[in-house]
Amino acid sequence: KLNDSKDMPKVAVVKKAMLGAKVGEKMLIAPPLAYDELMRRVPEGEVISTVQMRQKLAKRHKEVRCS
């Protein structure tokens, strides 16, 4: 499933408030490989939260949020 990116990345407009996003905001739906790449870059002994990962991916794609 890691290599199954389907039609991602894609940007969707939030229709129901979730993950801190408000209705009408843009949200990036990132592929599994993007998360994998990001996690592999975290130095051994350090931690990155899912919120931080979503923020980094959204910034990389210039979107407001990331699912």
Side-chain angles (χ1 to χ4, degrees):
K1 291 190 176 193
L2 185 60
N3 292 312
D4 187 10
S5 293
K6 298 181 183 171
D7 58 347
M8 296 180 255
K10 67 180 177 181
V11 177
V13 175
V14 176
K15 295 181 181 177
K16 181 179 177 184
M18 63 178 163
L19 299 171
K22 298 175 184 170
V23 174
E25 287 184 321
K26 290 189 218 174
M27 179 178 282
L28 173 72
I29 301 172
L33 280 175
Y35 286 96
D36 183 64
E37 174 190 338
L38 190 59
M39 288 186 287
R40 290 179 188 275
R41 290 183 177 193
V42 177
E44 189 172 332
E46 291 189 23
V47 177
I48 185 170
S49 71
T50 55
V51 171
Q52 291 170 311
M53 284 192 285
R54 290 195 306 262
Q55 289 171 341
K56 285 180 181 284
L57 289 169
K59 186 176 180 181
R60 185 183 300 170
H61 289 275
K62 297 180 174 81
E63 297 305 329
V64 177
R65 304 267 181 211
C66 180
S67 66

